[in-house]
Amino acid sequence: ALAVALAPRALAISPDADKLIREGLDAAYSMDFERSASLFTEADRLEPEHPAGPFFLASLQWLEYSQNADVPGTVDALEPRFNQIINQALGRAQKMHAKNDKDPEANFYMGAVYGMKGRWLLLKRKWIRAARYGFKGYKYLKKTVALDPEYYDAYLGMGMYDYYSDTLPTVWKFAANLIVRGDKQRGLRYIEMTLDKGHYSVTE
């Protein structure tokens, strides 16, 4: 279920770490959370300064929460760990961005981290805060594709923002439209682009 990009791009991480992340994503969406966490942790060990490791570990926390959102106590059990590792990912992404704000990968991870924070808040129905984080992520992802239109993973987050802000409850749509108006059809086009050509995001 995990395809690689049709036109493989140069990555800032090692091939070994890249392979572990892709295997970890495959395990995550097969609901094998333990194996996925082990693979992401090993990728992080190989790339201790890159935001990918903690970002994907935080994404795993989000996925586990999303599968158990109606179970009492789920957020209390998962949120402290989520906050710890998503903030670690943000710190690393900020360092990358500070070194070179024209680096598409640095902008991608800045956008991905803020987007993930927004998605966590969506599960908690914190619509206005989710919209703010979502738009912050959207801006970085938009800059990513402005710098490199073939950074296809970035289109997923942009598509999700467009789709959510045009289809979710009124309070979210109101909050999001104060920032930037969503477009469901554009969002779907972006998501389809990722499905066709994405690297990591294609699994999701």
Side-chain angles (χ1 to χ4, degrees):
L2 185 64
V4 297
L6 296 182
R9 63 186 305 103
L11 297 170
I13 62 174
S14 69
D16 287 345
D18 175 62
K19 181 174 183 290
L20 288 164
I21 289 170
R22 289 187 289 117
E23 290 176 355
L25 286 166
D26 200 24
Y29 283 94
S30 298
M31 301 300 143
D32 190 346
F33 297 142
E34 185 175 346
R35 172 169 166 74
S36 180
S38 176
L39 290 162
F40 291 152
T41 299
E42 178 61 14
D44 187 45
R45 186 188 68 79
L46 295 177
E47 296 287 346
E49 296 183 3
H50 197 281
F55 171 74
F56 286 111
L57 283 165
S59 301
L60 185 62
Q61 296 289 108
W62 176 88
L63 182 59
E64 189 170 354
Y65 180 18
S66 72
Q67 297 302 304
N68 297 280
D70 295 330
V71 178
T74 298
V75 68
D76 293 334
L78 297 175
E79 192 162 37
R81 173 66 172 157
F82 173 82
N83 287 332
Q84 176 191 356
I85 51 184
I86 199 66
N87 288 332
Q88 185 181 37
L90 178 60
R92 294 185 190 182
Q94 287 172 331
K95 286 183 180 179
M96 285 180 66
H97 194 264
K99 288 180 181 177
N100 181 8
D101 64 2
K102 300 296 192 295
D103 176 9
E105 187 150 341
N107 281 279
F108 170 74
Y109 278 100
M110 290 290 293
V113 167
Y114 283 123
M116 183 56 64
K117 282 175 169 277
R119 291 172 69 186
W120 187 273
L121 291 166
L122 279 181
L123 289 177
K124 296 182 69 176
R125 295 177 170 82
K126 304 290 186 180
W127 308 117
I128 294 177
R129 289 181 63 202
R132 288 173 178 163
Y133 274 117
F135 179 64
K136 200 167 187 176
Y138 183 91
K139 289 194 297 182
Y140 281 108
L141 295 175
K142 191 172 181 181
K143 185 175 180 181
T144 301
V145 300
L147 293 165
D148 181 358
E150 295 184 353
Y151 205 114
Y152 293 110
D153 281 349
Y155 290 98
L156 177 61
M158 293 170 62
M160 289 170 65
Y161 181 87
D162 268 334
Y163 187 87
Y164 282 154
S165 60
D166 201 22
T167 59
L168 283 181
T170 301
V171 66
W172 159 271
K173 292 176 72 173
F174 172 75
N177 288 338
L178 289 176
I179 305 168
V180 62
R181 185 174 299 277
D183 183 326
K184 176 182 175 181
Q185 295 305 319
R186 181 176 62 195
L188 289 172
R189 288 196 301 272
Y190 284 156
I191 291 167
E192 287 169 358
M193 191 181 301
T194 301
L195 180 61
D196 287 339
K197 299 181 179 180
H199 187 70
Y200 295 136
S201 299
V202 65
T203 306
E204 183 173 10

